[in-house]
């Protein structure tokens, strides 16, 4: 796309001797270190780093120009707001991709895993673009859309909501044909004020669907099921319920906590043996299967791909066995009360009779219910048969209070480094460790220290 067209789409002005005929052929990036020849560098002012300070460096590295909110010492398209302009650019590019089907995934937990599974499935039937990790906000979402080109047939996108209207905004950038809603839980409860408000925000995805679209809804979650009334699209149901169009029958777990089940669809059934850890992965697999089924993928192929899929995005139920037999479960990407329960269920299934430990931190963004819910985390951990519980961080009092009085030895440590040091002295061959907490606690550093750089 020539710079003149980019300026037109974003209502920007060319400055710094920018050539209107110069063509952006490389990726659109927000990190100057990711610049390739032909890139467009988007200068975003963050809390700690201002991308405008790296404009000249980006052009020297090969960027054609900079999309900036103020004049910079480099060829640029100067706009009123770079984040808004990024969305405008993605909207225009998506509109020029008539052969691409957009599939949106949202929910309080499991978005990234479901997105990864679905992207694997759609790749069997056409070139697919999906975000890396959790690129699901007002910056990551348009950056993902801008990776698509005329060959793209499927855009599998993850949509997060930090407030009302966020999902509606993301859906306008890339209008979905299929919308998958996983669940309504307690993530960001403090921001929204209640689960009903969270449901209202998540339901913006199905409201954005066209009449000839499909809403893929969880039949087992009443707040998700109620969203059927909010869309003019056709609804297909997935879940454990007998009434679900796509459902799991005969779910069992192996000694590593991995689920096997029969995938039942309106046309046929096929066996699935997941390599993902934890029974909660069944719901993610069903959601991806239901969307893929609507896209026409054969059931046998869906089952085959689900059975071969391994965790793709980091720090989500990464299970690593050390050489001495210690097993580390790194589920430290983020946490809320629902995902914390799922993680402890997975620990129970995987550990069996082995000695088990856990490292947790107080959950965030829970509003007025923060103390009660964090006390619940402490009670959950104290009742999990642990040989030791480490609670990390300065805001740990509610978790410690919830765990008090139980048989589990509890230790409060200042940070991830202290937790890793404490654990190193406690662990013996054959032990199992769960590391789970909110993103702000950076507990992945505990797992990394325990593994000494090992990967699963």
């Amino acid at each position: 796309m020539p710079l003149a067209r980019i300026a037109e789409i974003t209502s920007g002005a060319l400055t710094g001797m920018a050539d209107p005929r110069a063509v952006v052929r490389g990726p659109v990036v927000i990190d100057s270190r990711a610049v390739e020849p032909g890139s467009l560098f988007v200068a975003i002012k963050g809390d700690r780093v201002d991308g405008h300070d790296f404009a000249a460096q980006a052009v020297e590295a090969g960027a054609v120009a900079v999309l900036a909110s103020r004049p910079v010492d480099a060829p640029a398209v100067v706009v009123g707001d770079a984040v808004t302009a990024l969305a405008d650019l993605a909207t225009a590019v998506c509109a020029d991709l008539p052969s691409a089907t957009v599939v949106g995934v949202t929910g309080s937990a499991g978005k990234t895993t479901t997105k990864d599974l679905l992207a694997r499935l759609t790749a069997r039937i056409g070139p697919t673009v999906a975000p890396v990790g959790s690129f699901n906000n007002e910056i990551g979402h348009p950056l993902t859309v801008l990776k698509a080109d005329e060959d793209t047939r499927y855009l599998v996108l993850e949509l997060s909501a930090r407030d009302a209207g966020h999902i509606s905004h993301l859906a306008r950038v890339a209008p979905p044909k299929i919308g998958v809603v996983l669940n309504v839980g307690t993530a960001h409860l403090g921001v929204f004020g209640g689960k009903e408000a969270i449901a209202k925000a998540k339901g913006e995805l199905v409201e954005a669907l066209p009449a000839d679209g499909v809403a893929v809804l969880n039949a087992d979650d009443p707040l998700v099921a109620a969203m059927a009334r909010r869309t003019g699209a056709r609804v297909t149901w997935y879940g454990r319920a007998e009434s679900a169009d796509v459902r799991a029958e005969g779910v069992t777990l192996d000694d590593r906590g991995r689920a096997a089940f029969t995938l039942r669809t309106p046309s046929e059934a096929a066996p699935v043996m997941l390599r993902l850890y934890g029974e909660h992965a069944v719901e993610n697999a069903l959601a991806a299967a239901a969307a893929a089924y609507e896209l026409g993928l054969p059931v046998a192929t869906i089952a085959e791909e689900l059975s071969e899929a391994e965790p793709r995005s980091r720090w989500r139920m990464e299970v690593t066995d050390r050489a001495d037999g210690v097993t580390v479960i790194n589920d430290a990407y983020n946490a809320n009360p629902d995902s914390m329960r799922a993680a402890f269920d997975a620990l129970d299934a995987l550990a069996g009779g082995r000695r088990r430990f856990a490292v947790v931190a107080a959950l965030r963004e829970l509003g007025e219910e923060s103390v009660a819910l964090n006390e619940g985390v402490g009670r959950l951990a104290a009742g999990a048969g642990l040989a030791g519980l480490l609670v990390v961080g300065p805001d740990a009092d509610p978790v410690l209070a919830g765990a008090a009085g139980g048989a589990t030895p509890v230790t409060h440590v200042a940070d991830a480094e202290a937790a890793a040091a404490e654990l190193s002295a406690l662990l013996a061959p054959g032990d199992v460790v769960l590391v789970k907490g909110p993103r702000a606690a950076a507990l992945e550093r505990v797992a990394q220290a325990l593994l000494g750089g090992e990967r699963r």
Side-chain angles (χ1 to χ4, degrees):
M1 184 179 291
L3 289 183
R5 175 62 177 147
I6 293 173
E8 179 184 3
I9 291 169
T10 60
S11 300
L14 296 175
T15 66
M17 299 297 291
D19 181 356
R21 297 165 297 181
V23 176
V24 174
R25 302 184 186 277
V28 179
V29 300
I30 59 171
D31 186 336
S32 61
R33 295 168 297 184
V35 167
E36 299 175 13
S39 291
L40 177 69
F41 175 64
V42 184
I44 294 176
K45 188 180 188 308
D47 294 333
R48 291 173 295 179
V49 178
D50 187 345
H52 295 82
D53 297 338
F54 298 89
Q57 178 180 319
V59 171
E60 288 173 6
V64 174
V66 180
L67 187 65
S69 300
R70 64 172 189 264
V72 293
D73 188 20
V77 180
V78 177
V79 296
D81 180 81
V83 175
T84 300
L86 181 64
D88 291 340
L89 188 58
T91 302
V93 167
C94 191
D96 285 341
L97 300 174
S99 297
T101 297
V102 178
V103 184
V105 179
T106 195
S108 294
K111 293 187 294 296
T112 299
T113 299
T114 302
K115 172 264 301 177
D116 288 344
L117 290 172
L118 185 50
R120 180 186 178 103
L121 290 166
T122 57
R124 286 292 296 264
I125 49 178
T128 296
V129 170
V132 176
S134 294
F135 259 38
N136 57 22
N137 63 12
E138 69 277 8
I139 297 174
H141 185 78
L143 283 174
T144 300
V145 173
L146 289 168
K147 291 183 178 180
D149 59 26
E150 62 273 8
D151 295 326
T152 302
R153 291 297 172 265
Y154 298 98
L155 267 167
V156 180
L157 302 173
E158 181 179 334
L159 292 78
S160 73
R162 295 298 298 272
D163 210 338
H166 281 187
I167 288 179
S168 290
H169 166 70
L170 299 180
R172 285 192 294 273
V173 171
K177 187 68 174 289
I178 295 179
V180 181
V181 185
L182 303 174
N183 44 54
V184 175
T186 48
H188 311 310
L189 192 62
V191 176
F192 288 98
K195 291 182 73 172
E196 290 73 18
I198 295 173
K200 190 173 189 306
K202 301 296 184 187
E204 292 170 8
L205 176 58
V206 300
E207 291 176 343
L209 296 172
D212 61 346
V214 182
V216 178
L217 302 181
N218 185 351
D220 302 327
D221 187 318
L223 289 174
V224 174
M227 294 178 192
R229 299 190 295 268
R230 296 170 57 184
T231 183
R234 180 167 57 82
V235 175
T236 190
W237 302 96
Y238 74 89
R240 308 281 187 104
E242 287 266 338
S243 59
D245 302 299
V246 176
R247 60 187 183 274
E249 297 177 345
V251 177
T252 60
L253 297 180
D254 68 8
D255 59 4
R256 298 279 284 174
R258 296 169 297 197
F261 59 91
T262 297
L263 175 64
R264 180 75 60 182
T265 73
S267 59
E268 55 185 308
V272 174
M273 297 181 64
L274 294 177
R275 298 184 184 183
L276 306 180
Y277 294 90
E279 189 172 355
H280 60 284
V282 173
E283 278 65 39
N284 300 331
L286 287 175
Y293 184 77
E294 289 294 333
L295 291 169
L297 204 62
V299 175
T301 302
I302 294 173
E304 174 190 339
E305 289 293 339
L306 291 177
S307 297
E308 292 179 357
E310 296 188 353
R312 181 179 294 183
S313 297
R314 63 181 183 172
W315 308 338
R316 294 168 175 85
M317 292 306 294
E318 289 184 351
V319 178
T320 308
D321 296 315
R322 293 194 331 194
D324 63 357
V326 170
T327 299
V328 179
I329 306 171
N330 182 359
D331 197 34
Y333 183 79
N334 214 338
N336 58 60
D338 304 307
S339 67
M340 190 69 79
R341 281 189 292 273
F344 273 97
D345 286 344
L347 170 65
D348 185 58
L350 196 151
R354 301 160 65 187
R355 209 167 61 133
R356 58 190 75 174
F357 294 83
V359 183
V360 303
L363 306 180
R364 313 291 177 89
E365 298 183 350
L366 298 177
E368 295 179 356
E369 298 188 46
S370 179
V371 171
L373 290 173
N374 273 303
E375 287 178 350
V377 170
R379 288 191 295 272
L380 174 70
L386 301 175
L389 170 66
L390 280 72
V391 184
V392 180
D395 50 357
D397 286 349
V399 180
L400 295 169
T408 298
V410 182
T411 304
H412 179 210
V413 295
D415 52 33
E417 287 71 24
E422 186 80 18
L423 270 175
S424 295
L426 295 172
L427 292 176
D431 290 346
V432 183
V433 182
L434 169 66
V435 183
K436 177 71 173 173
R439 186 71 197 91
L443 294 190
E444 73 279 357
R445 298 203 302 264
V446 178
Q448 291 165 346
L450 292 177
L451 294 171
E454 290 185 47
R455 300 289 297 174
R456 88 180 156 271

